[in-house]
Each structure stands twice: as C-alpha cells, then as structure tokens.
Amino acid sequence: VTELLNRRELAAWQGLLRVHAALTQELDAELRAEHGLPLSSYEVLLLLADSPDGQRRMSELAASALLSRSGLTRLVDRLERSGLIERRRCPDDARGWFAAITPDGRRAFRRARPTHLRGVRRLFLDRLSNSDQTALAAAWERVLPGGSAL
Amino acid sequence: VTELLNRRELAAWQGLLRVHAALTQELDAELRAEHGLPLSSYEVLLLLADSPDGQRRMSELAASALLSRSGLTRLVDRLERSGLIERRRCPDDARGWFAAITPDGRRAFRRARPTHLRGVRRLFLDRLSNSDQTALAAAWERVLPGGSAL
DNA sequence: GAAGATTGAAGACTCAATCTTT
DNA sequence: AAAGATTGAGTCTTCAATCTTC
C-alpha cells in the first residue's frame, strides 16, 4: 500500500480542509444575513472595485474568482439582474465582454466590506500571530508559486 | 472605514482560498477520472473504513464530513445506490441510522486511496518542509481549537 | 481551427418544513 | 418539547455542446 500520512502530515492537510470549510461557511452566512450578498458575489465586486475603470474581462474574472467560465457567466447574470454590475462590449475584441461595477454595486460593496473584514479578522487573523501569518504566506507560495493556477 | 488588510494578512488569507480551491479541484478530478469517485464520496468512505465495525451515525458523519445533515443524506443516498455503503437501523435509538461501508465500498476505497494519497503528497506535502507542515498544523489548531466547529 | 462567452442538462448543496421517536 | 433523519424547493456549480469572432 502507499505510505499513509503521518500525524504531522494529516494535521497540516486536514486542518486546511476544516478551517476553509468553517470559515467560508461562516463568512458567507454573515454577508447574506447582513447584506443579502453571498461571499462569491462579494469577491467579484471586490475584484471589480479594485480594477482600473472598475471593469475586467469575463475570463480574467473567472480565473481570479476561482470559478469556471460558465460559473462566472451565471454569477454575473445574477449580479447584473441585481443591478450591481453591467456587461460592456470589449472595443478591441468583439468576442469579449467586460463586467463593470455600477454605482449601486460600489455602494453595496462599501457597505459589505466592513462586515467581511471584521469577520476575516475575528475568525482567522486575530487568532494567529504575525509569524504564523508569515509562515502561512510562505507555505502558500511554495504550494502555488506566484499565485498561479496548478 | 474599517482598516484594510496589510500585505501579510492578505497573503495569509487569500493564499488559503487559492490553495484550497486549486487542490480540491485537482484531487476531485483525479479521483473521478481514475475511479469514478468524487472527493466527497471518498471522504465518507475513508471515515467509515476507519471506524470500528465500519459504521457511523448519520449525524456524526455529517459533522465529520463538513456537510449539513441534509447534504449528507443525499450523499449517502448516492453511495447506497452505487452499493458502496448501506443504511442500518440503530438498535438503541429507533430515530437513528448507521451508514455502514460494504465489501464493495472497501474495495473501491482500497483502490482509490493510493491515487488520493499520491495527489495530496505531490500537490501539497512534497512542496512543504517538515517545519512548514508543523507550522500549518499549529496555525489550524489556533484557528479551530480541538478540531471543533466554530 | 482556436479563443471568448453562453446555454442546456445534470450534479451537489443548503434552508426550512416535516415526520418519527425520545 | 427536542433530537435524528429525510424531503421539497431553490441556489449554485460544473461539463459538454454551441455560437460568434479572431
């Protein structure tokens, strides 16, 4: 049989799964309860609010938001229906589209951001020392260098 | 405005999201391609194979598998349809049910385990030093003490 | 033919309501 | 009344196929 995981390996791996599940569930629930905004929608608004002109290509956005292309299409559909973003044709390439954040979208993002940041601090960052955080960041860089995909 | 995240905090938090997404997607794809077994199903088989008598209460299993009760009910439905596990009445408490792994389930698990372990090593553990792994394990313990829920 | 984006169909998950037993 | 488990309805996601433009 393939060598099983030892205690240290198991703790490192299973902990990642447990912590991710617990944190994303709780953060998603808080954003929905206080702002009617799922975590996935918040993340797209964040990416757009941080972009020059408040817009990004659909496929770029899919990669950054860790979603499939079709998954992003549906999510943008929902956000467009809510009036938080809008689609714009890409002038240089008629195949392409931008997703652009609207004024309503910026308002919703500004309101939701403190909730999210407080949550991330309370559930995650506040429980870690600075050197814990540095160690985590270094580990992530070794696992996925340069923030690349696999 | 609420204080934004600094570079270190952002790297620690965003890295967790990126690494989790990339790893679970790839591990799930490998298990499906080689054994027709989604990662969530593999995890339930693992929990049962490791249990005395190869069985666990439904609600215990839901908590361990990081799923809602109803989510686990559906997953057990699928695994029962595939013949990999079966439901058994709980003798002490007529409200309760056990999910029990079948001989076919044990075979499927034994075949899939090397694929999964190799994947976890290749994508995650092999890219980290022993002290990285120890640091991660310590961090998880601080974020979710005792492997508890929130 | 390949890339950007969308659609149809299906899978998987959650919440709230329900049923049964304690 | 509370706990274990399931169901119905709705949401979110993906894969494969499709359409359009490069």
Side-chain angles (χ1 to χ4, degrees):
Chain A
V1 304
T2 309
E3 205 62 43
L4 300 184
L5 304 187
N6 65 34
R7 185 185 225 76
R8 185 191 65 241
E9 293 169 327
L10 203 59
W13 171 242
Q14 304 248 58
L16 170 62
L17 300 179
R18 277 194 309 113
V19 166
H20 178 271
L23 266 53
T24 52
Q25 274 207 0
E26 174 68 15
L27 292 170
D28 183 67
E30 288 178 7
L31 279 175
R32 285 174 192 270
E34 298 180 28
H35 307 282
L37 207 58
L39 183 55
S40 56
S41 297
Y42 176 85
E43 283 166 349
V44 165
L45 293 180
L46 166 63
L47 288 164
L48 293 179
D50 276 355
S51 300
D53 306 329
Q55 58 178 21
R56 304 271 302 272
R57 289 288 291 263
M58 293 290 288
S59 46
E60 273 178 54
L61 212 45
S64 304
L66 309 171
L67 277 177
S68 67
R69 268 180 161 82
S70 60
L72 182 81
T73 292
R74 323 275 186 181
L75 177 49
V76 166
D77 287 346
R78 295 193 292 276
L79 285 166
E80 196 166 29
R81 251 180 271 126
S82 321
L84 304 182
I85 75 177
E86 62 181 21
R87 281 178 169 86
R88 291 184 197 152
R89 298 215 73 101
C90 185
D92 324 330
D93 183 345
R95 294 172 304 178
W97 292 84
F98 286 109
I101 190 167
T102 63
D104 272 5
R106 290 197 187 270
R107 269 189 289 278
F109 174 63
R110 267 201 305 276
R111 278 198 304 268
R113 184 165 49 180
T115 299
H116 182 65
L117 290 176
R118 270 197 300 271
V120 172
R121 291 197 181 287
R122 172 171 50 84
L123 300 171
F124 186 62
L125 298 170
D126 287 351
R127 305 186 183 192
L128 298 172
S129 67
N130 285 3
S131 67
D132 284 337
Q133 294 175 14
T134 303
L136 283 181
W140 303 144
E141 184 59 26
R142 281 196 262 287
V143 172
L144 284 186
S148 70
L150 278 178
Chain B
V1 303
T2 309
E3 205 62 41
L4 299 185
L5 303 187
N6 65 35
R7 184 186 226 75
R8 185 192 65 240
E9 293 170 327
L10 203 59
W13 170 242
Q14 304 250 61
L16 170 62
L17 299 179
R18 279 195 306 113
V19 165
H20 177 271
L23 266 52
T24 53
Q25 274 208 359
E26 174 67 15
L27 292 170
D28 183 66
E30 288 178 7
L31 278 175
R32 284 174 193 271
E34 298 180 27
H35 307 283
L37 207 59
L39 182 55
S40 55
S41 298
Y42 175 86
E43 282 166 348
V44 166
L45 292 180
L46 167 63
L47 288 164
L48 293 179
D50 276 355
S51 301
D53 305 330
Q55 58 178 22
R56 304 271 302 270
R57 289 289 291 263
M58 293 291 288
S59 46
E60 273 179 53
L61 213 44
S64 304
L66 308 172
L67 277 177
S68 66
R69 268 179 161 80
S70 60
L72 182 81
T73 292
R74 323 272 188 186
L75 177 49
V76 165
D77 287 347
R78 296 193 292 277
L79 285 166
E80 196 166 28
R81 251 180 271 123
S82 320
L84 303 182
I85 75 177
E86 63 182 20
R87 281 177 169 86
R88 292 186 195 150
R89 298 214 75 100
C90 186
D92 323 330
D93 183 344
R95 295 172 304 180
W97 292 84
F98 285 109
I101 191 167
T102 62
D104 271 7
R106 290 199 188 268
R107 268 189 289 279
F109 174 63
R110 266 202 306 277
R111 278 198 303 270
R113 184 164 51 179
T115 299
H116 183 65
L117 289 176
R118 269 197 301 271
V120 172
R121 292 197 181 287
R122 174 171 48 86
L123 300 171
F124 186 62
L125 298 170
D126 287 352
R127 304 185 183 193
L128 299 171
S129 67
N130 286 2
S131 67
D132 285 336
Q133 294 176 13
T134 303
L136 284 180
W140 304 145
E141 183 60 27
R142 281 196 262 287
V143 173
L144 285 187
S148 70
L150 277 176

